[in-house]
Amino acid sequence: MQAYEVTNTSGLDGLVLNPKRPEPEPGPGQILVRVRAAALNARDHGVTRGIYGYTRFPVIPLSDGAGEVVAVGPGIIGFKAGDRVASTFFQTWTGGRMPPDASRNSLGGMLDGMLAELVVLPRTGAIRIPNHLSFEEASTLPCAALTAWNALVETGGIKAGETVAILGTGGVSCFAVQFAKLHRAHVFLTSRSDEKLEKGRALGADVAINYKATPDWEQEMLKQTAGVGVDHVLEVGGANTLEKSMAAVCPGGAIYIIGSLAGAGQINPRMINRKAITLKGIHVGSRDMFAAMNRAIAETRLRPVIDRVFPFADAKAAFAYQAGGSHFGKIVIAVG
Ligand SMILES: NC(=O)c1ccc[n+]([C@@H]2O[C@H](COP(=O)([O-])OP(=O)(O)OC[C@H]3O[C@@H](n4cnc5c(N)ncnc54)[C@H](OP(=O)(O)O)[C@@H]3O)[C@@H](O)[C@H]2O)c1
């Protein structure tokens, strides 16, 4: 079978197509999946450059993919040939608190991932996908969607009428807009691009703020919430945007710490106690959370936002496209 392998930490130069990798076989408790589509996350660039941590080389990259079960190993209950499934980011975090070994068991990091024609997954590392989604759409769920769902729904318990600030329009943020609107919350969306903000409005964002044209976007959010601030902030920027997020959030509100796209910076923690803010780290989520998210997606017939689909042969171009930052939503690679 064909599979891409990250062979070293040199970035895309180290991403190599192996045209003759041995086909994996499912052992006890495992399923064999023919991958139909895989999706990129910002984290996958960190893997190719050796800065993600929890990585080994060579490794098949990408945590996210969807396909059909072609065979099951001994002892498998709950899956059969023909089932349409997606991978789970953490192969062993099924529910409850994040276990200490979760990161060592993430796909496309320490474990071979989804940018391959065939993969073997443990029973706990796959989940059925909603019927109305294509494989390409379902491939976007394991990391970006679950991260947004965990932050706003599982951790944040978002309610109708609450206000949410969502930074940027990448994969996590687009799902966050959709989940926030699904719960009838009021969404403030930021982006560097007016064109992307228009798309964000079409997705449901109520207030769109260009953070290049309005670098004091937190003041705009305060103004529009009568000086109180927003109930939830989805923080993908990191240290460089966190102080603004702490200014934008209301007393007693919550900031979900997810990414570090805006680079390094210094944090003055005083506002955390003065405003009694909750800062909550989010790391994707468990399989149980994925199941709950899938039920909501199926019931509301929510469709993931895909910016572009690349053929398997152009996987490197997909990585380069994501690095360019012009995308809105998810980037997918069609596998077979
Ligand atoms: N903790 C977790 O479990 C977890 C899970 C998934 C992702 N992440 C992290 O979350 C971040 C987003 O991931 P992703 O997959 O959604 O990435 P992505 O699809 O590549 O999205 C990147 C987007 O972030 C926005 N952005 C960049 N710099 C920004 C800034 N200074 N302020 C506001 N927005 C900014 C940009 O949106 P505009 O072009 O619209 O400005 C950019 O398009 C990454 O740091 C990733 O590593 C963490």
Side-chain angles (χ1 to χ4, degrees):
M1 68 150 184
Q2 297 191 84
Y4 282 88
E5 294 167 356
V6 180
T7 54
N8 57 49
T9 59
S10 64
L12 289 190
D13 287 345
L15 180 64
V16 175
L17 178 65
N18 181 346
K20 284 196 178 151
R21 203 176 149 112
E23 292 194 2
E25 286 183 15
Q30 294 180 326
I31 62 174
L32 179 66
V33 177
R34 182 169 298 284
V35 181
R36 296 296 187 191
L40 276 169
N41 290 288
R43 165 247 202 196
D44 302 312
H45 293 270
V47 171
T48 62
R49 288 185 284 135
I51 55 171
Y52 176 66
Y54 299 110
T55 315
R56 66 165 167 78
F57 302 101
V59 71
I60 298 175
L62 305 197
S63 54
D64 292 15
E68 60 214 350
V69 177
V70 287
V72 300
I76 280 288
I77 304 167
F79 290 111
K80 59 182 184 331
D83 282 351
R84 302 167 77 244
V85 297
S87 51
T88 64
F89 184 95
F90 295 116
Q91 293 281 283
T92 53
W93 184 12
T94 53
R97 263 169 69 162
M98 184 181 178
D101 65 349
S103 294
R104 285 196 293 281
N105 287 296
S106 68
L107 283 185
M110 292 294 275
L111 305 179
D112 280 330
M114 299 300 286
L115 199 52
E117 290 176 319
L118 289 166
V119 299
V120 157
L121 301 172
R123 185 181 56 81
T124 53
I127 191 161
R128 279 217 199 76
I129 57 179
N131 290 336
H132 73 287
L133 296 185
S134 67
F135 286 122
E136 289 170 359
E137 289 170 325
S139 75
T140 68
L141 300 178
C143 179
L146 187 54
T147 300
W149 176 268
N150 181 1
L152 292 181
V153 184
E154 302 278 345
T155 302
I158 193 165
K159 294 180 186 63
E162 288 186 334
T163 46
V164 193
I166 296 171
L167 309 191
T169 60
V172 176
S173 299
C174 281
F175 276 114
V177 172
Q178 291 176 294
F179 293 143
K181 292 315 294 180
L182 192 151
H183 287 82
R184 302 275 188 269
H186 192 78
V187 171
F188 293 80
L189 180 67
T190 73
S191 174
R192 74 184 95 172
S193 148
D194 288 340
E195 197 187 327
K196 291 186 184 186
L197 287 172
E198 268 319 298
K199 291 182 184 170
R201 277 187 191 282
L203 201 58
D206 300 281
V207 180
I209 304 172
N210 186 317
Y211 63 79
K212 293 283 182 204
T214 310
D216 293 335
W217 48 267
E218 76 286 3
Q219 296 303 326
E220 188 59 30
M221 291 182 190
L222 285 167
K223 202 167 96 190
Q224 297 213 24
T225 52
V228 174
V230 297
D231 298 298
H232 309 263
V233 182
L234 195 97
E235 227 323 329
V236 296
N240 244 348
T241 46
L242 187 52
E243 289 227 347
K244 286 180 178 293
S245 294
M246 294 197 301
V249 77
C250 70
I255 302 176
Y256 311 106
I257 307 293
I258 292 172
S260 51
L261 292 165
Q266 288 218 327
I267 302 299
N268 179 349
R270 193 166 57 168
M271 227 182 325
I272 300 172
N273 61 288
R274 289 238 170 136
K275 286 174 77 174
I277 300 168
T278 298
L279 293 190
K280 180 73 172 81
I282 297 292
H283 204 178
V284 195
S286 70
R287 191 175 183 278
D288 285 352
M289 295 178 195
F290 201 157
M293 177 181 78
N294 276 350
R295 285 194 294 273
I297 289 174
E299 183 63 24
T300 58
R301 300 191 75 77
L302 183 150
R303 302 209 92 105
V305 178
I306 296 178
D307 180 287
R308 198 163 152 189
V309 180
F310 288 79
F312 189 67
D314 292 343
K316 281 192 185 203
F319 273 80
Y321 182 65
Q322 175 146 37
S326 63
H327 59 288
F328 177 87
K330 296 297 299 177
I331 298 163
V332 170
I333 297 169
V335 178

